Amino acid sequence: MKHLEDIFDRLRADHDKHRDLLARLEQTSGETPERHALFEEFTLEAKGHAAAEEQALYSTVLRKPPLTACGRHSVAEHHEIEEMLNDLAATPMDTGGWLTKFRGVKDKYLHHIKEEETEMFPKFRKQLTEDDVVYMRQVFERRKPVEKSKADITPEKMEEAKD
Ligand SMILES: [Fe+2]
Ligand SMILES: [Fe+2]
């Protein structure tokens, strides 16, 4: 029963949703309403998830000396992914450049969540108590919808998109 209430299963469920969105996005082509809708949903999901994950989990992880380096690594990747998403949002969707950048985001994101699931979460779990992981889930459940609704697509000006 207990594992049903911990933060890690909840984060993994989001990761699975994100893998599915990325796979569906990759099947789209050109500037279509479907690609717009999936890109928007993935962006808001990924940004909302990262912010709530930092508040619920990484804030505590960073305070534990044996875990600080891992926490900094993940939070730095959140920032990198956000920058890549902002750059992608500023790139015309019907170009080869968009697809190349999308594949970069996809690879980076899949790497990030796999690393969390296989390396980070098991390491964190050993340093956290049962109460910690149950409480963290409550924080995540509360913060995720708020952060997702506050997130934006933030398209930079078209000229600012990186080549
Ligand atoms: Fe993350
Ligand atoms: Fe995550």
Side-chain angles (χ1 to χ4, degrees):
M1 268 313 266
K2 278 184 193 163
H3 73 281
L4 293 174
E5 294 167 5
D6 87 21
I7 178 85
F8 301 112
D9 282 353
R10 179 63 187 78
L11 295 174
R12 276 193 199 92
D14 261 17
H15 293 173
D16 285 342
K17 187 198 279 186
H18 302 164
R19 286 184 182 94
D20 178 61
L21 284 168
L22 286 170
R24 287 162 61 199
L25 200 40
E26 197 168 27
Q27 300 303 311
T28 61
S29 57
E31 185 160 6
T32 55
E34 193 195 7
R35 183 177 270 185
H36 271 291
L38 286 167
F39 176 64
E40 183 163 325
E41 178 60 8
F42 176 74
T43 300
L44 302 180
E45 265 293 318
K47 288 183 179 181
H49 173 94
E53 190 177 61
E54 287 172 11
Q55 291 158 7
L57 175 66
Y58 285 106
S59 54
T60 300
V61 160
L62 287 166
R63 280 194 276 114
K64 297 194 183 287
L67 302 179
T68 303
C70 285
R72 291 176 72 189
H73 174 85
S74 281
V75 172
E77 284 191 348
H78 288 171
H79 181 66
E80 265 181 80
I81 290 162
E82 185 164 327
E83 300 266 286
M84 291 170 88
L85 282 168
N86 290 347
D87 182 44
L88 187 56
T91 304
M93 231 175 216
D94 56 353
T95 60
W98 191 90
L99 199 60
T100 305
K101 287 178 186 182
F102 168 73
R103 293 208 171 109
V105 169
K106 190 191 95 174
D107 290 349
K108 182 83 193 167
Y109 199 77
L110 293 178
H111 152 83
H112 175 75
I113 59 182
K114 186 178 175 196
E115 187 173 58
E116 284 186 328
E117 291 174 2
T118 60
E119 293 177 38
M120 306 282 179
F121 296 170
K123 203 179 285 179
F124 299 165
R125 184 67 191 85
K126 288 193 193 125
Q127 303 282 333
L128 297 166
T129 66
E130 198 60 42
D131 285 349
D132 284 336
V133 297
V134 171
Y135 175 70
M136 285 174 173
R137 181 171 182 140
Q138 291 164 7
V139 175
F140 187 83
E141 299 284 11
R142 191 169 71 239
R143 295 304 306 169
K144 168 82 192 291
V146 179
E147 291 297 335
K148 186 176 172 182
S149 72
K150 273 177 29 188
D152 54 14
I153 312 294
T154 53
E156 297 161 24
K157 287 197 190 87
M158 227 58 126
E159 328 58 275
E160 289 173 7
K162 293 175 202 147
D163 292 329

